[in-house]
Amino acid sequence: MTRTAAREIAILLGFSITASDSFADEAADCFFDREHYNTLREENEIFAEYPDERQMEYIRALVQLVFDHRVELDAYIEKYARGWTTNRISRTAGAVIRCAMCEILWMPEVPNAAAINEAVELAKKYESEEVVAFINGILGGFIRGEVETTEEN
């Protein structure tokens, strides 16, 4: 399984958590139950391979970061979405943006450009061109406004 596939699984899991009242670790435990996971193969080819230990660690860490920082991440989304609230953004687009922001802020092993590029490429699988451009714009503004400013200080 590639890092891209692991990232997509993290986004899908993050998406499902926003639709429920589950805690990240509880939702991940249920999601990665081998029997349940195997049933997902029929729905999406991304689930053809079960994550190995390193991939599982990455997925769980990313999902936990999104869960723990969702209020902060949503504030960033609203700041850089210029006039849009998180309620107006599709849950899939929100999950993609939150995961990319988490990689940028708290996963230094993932280069910022890679986090944005991967987010845009994954969004293309699920969203229209306009939404993909919107996601790219939010993440670009976020980098310029939050990350580059921090690096300059």
Side-chain angles (χ1 to χ4, degrees), residues 69-90:
H69 297 280
R70 61 193 178 278
V71 172
E72 179 181 358
L73 296 169
D74 285 354
Y76 283 131
I77 291 170
E78 289 189 14
K79 180 177 180 180
Y80 292 101
R82 295 195 175 106
W84 284 66
T85 63
T86 54
N87 294 340
R88 287 185 62 200
I89 299 170
S90 77

Side-chain angles (χ1 to χ4, degrees), residues 11-137:
I11 288 168
L12 295 172
L13 180 54
F15 173 90
S16 69
I17 290 171
T18 62
S20 71
D21 293 328
S22 299
F23 288 103
D25 56 346
E26 293 171 2
D29 289 345
C30 291
F31 189 84
F32 289 112
D33 172 77
R34 289 240 185 215
E35 190 174 320
H36 175 262
Y37 192 87
N38 288 338
T39 66
L40 298 173
R41 288 181 186 171
E42 298 166 15
E43 296 176 28
N44 190 330
E45 65 187 30
I46 195 73
F47 301 111
E49 186 179 343
Y50 193 81
D52 67 22
E53 186 177 325
R54 195 173 104 215
Q55 294 154 344
M56 185 70 76
E57 184 178 299
Y58 165 80
I59 293 166
R60 285 179 174 272
L62 186 52
V63 170
Q64 190 66 52
L65 284 167
V66 169
F67 183 81
D68 291 344
H69 297 280
R70 61 193 178 278
V71 172
E72 179 181 358
L73 296 169
D74 285 354
Y76 283 131
I77 291 170
E78 289 189 14
K79 180 177 180 180
Y80 292 101
R82 295 195 175 106
W84 284 66
T85 63
T86 54
N87 294 340
R88 287 185 62 200
I89 299 170
S90 77
R91 286 193 351 226
T92 303
V96 169
I97 295 166
R98 286 181 197 96
C99 283
M101 286 180 170
C102 282
E103 287 179 320
I104 291 165
L105 291 171
W106 298 293
M107 297 181 122
E109 70 277 9
V110 178
N112 294 345
I116 293 174
N117 184 58
E118 289 287 324
V120 168
E121 290 303 312
L122 285 170
K124 288 178 182 178
K125 291 179 72 172
Y126 298 98
E127 296 288 353
S128 68
E129 284 183 37
E130 294 81 17
V131 174
V132 171
F134 180 70
I135 289 169
N136 192 37

